[in-house]
Amino acid sequence: MPNPQIKNEEQYEALRDKGYSKEKSARIANTPDSGKKGGKASPYEEWTKQELYKKAKMVGIEGRSKMSKKELIGALRNH
């Protein structure tokens, strides 16, 4: 039975099959442009520390206030 909280069930299941956690799969599948290719976002290295901090806050990374820019990038990529 489909989960009404998941916006893109097909993508969610594909991510779960690849070994992603339920949380990460749901977060990716629920993004507004989920399933679309050709993202226009610049690499994290081009973001300011403040932009990285805001993104880390949005996804719930703990300890972000004490992280360097390099640590924030790593935490965002591995969350």
Side-chain angles (χ1 to χ4, degrees), residues 5 7 10 12 19 25-26 28 30 38 42 66-67 72 78:
Q5 295 176 335
K7 294 179 183 173
E10 183 178 320
Y12 173 82
S25 298
I28 293 169
N30 286 339
S42 58
K66 296 179 179 151
M67 292 183 182
L72 285 166
N78 296 310

Side-chain angles (χ1 to χ4, degrees), residues 60-79:
I61 295 174
E62 294 186 21
R64 63 190 171 270
S65 64
K66 296 179 179 151
M67 292 183 182
S68 67
K69 180 177 178 176
K70 187 175 181 178
E71 290 170 324
L72 285 166
I73 291 170
L76 286 165
R77 288 193 172 139
N78 296 310
H79 185 289

Side-chain angles (χ1 to χ4, degrees), residues 19-53:
Y20 285 74
S21 70
K22 289 179 182 180
E23 177 187 350
K24 189 167 187 175
S25 298
R27 189 171 61 247
I28 293 169
N30 286 339
T31 58
D33 294 329
S34 71
K36 294 182 182 176
K37 292 187 178 186
K40 305 276 190 260
S42 58
Y44 283 143
E45 288 78 13
E46 294 178 12
W47 292 29
T48 66
K49 184 175 177 184
Q50 184 178 6
E51 291 170 325
L52 293 166
Y53 177 84

